[in-house]
Amino acid sequence: MFTVFIVGTAGSGKTTLVSTFAEWLENNQYDVAIVNLDPAVEYVPTYQI
Ligand SMILES: Nc1nc2c(ncn2[C@@H]2O[C@H](COP(=O)(O)OP(=O)(O)OP(=O)(O)O)[C@@H](O)[C@H]2O)c(=O)[nH]1
Ligand SMILES: [Mg+2]
């Protein structure tokens, strides 16, 4: 099992990267769990599995 932390300044593309990376992992037969640690998050994108 791998754990990847994505950190960066506000608006630097963290959510976009995580969403795209997770979709790629799912498409390549990896199981993925995503946890958003931002206490001020207002929008969490979904992706097709
Ligand atoms: N040009 C460009 N824009 C990007 C890239 N990645 C994300 N964006 C845009 O940058 C903006 C912020 O992206 P988010 O993924 O919401 O960034 P974030 O770091 O999660 O932002 P916060 O959660 O608000 O801190 C959005 O309008 C994205 O479409 C990229 O690689 N290139
Ligand atoms: Mg974000």
Side-chain angles (χ1 to χ4, degrees):
M1 183 172 78
F2 298 95
T3 303
V4 179
F5 289 89
I6 305 296
V7 296
T9 55
S12 61
K14 301 179 296 295
T15 296
T16 303
L17 173 62
V18 169
S19 179
T20 303
F21 186 41
E23 185 174 6
W24 183 88
L25 289 169
E26 290 280 3
N27 289 337
N28 287 275
Q29 289 71 56
Y30 290 96
D31 294 324
V32 181
I34 303 169
V35 179
N36 192 320
L37 299 175
D38 182 353
V41 65
E42 294 179 343
Y43 167 71
V44 177
T46 57
Y47 59 92
Q48 297 292 321
I49 296 174

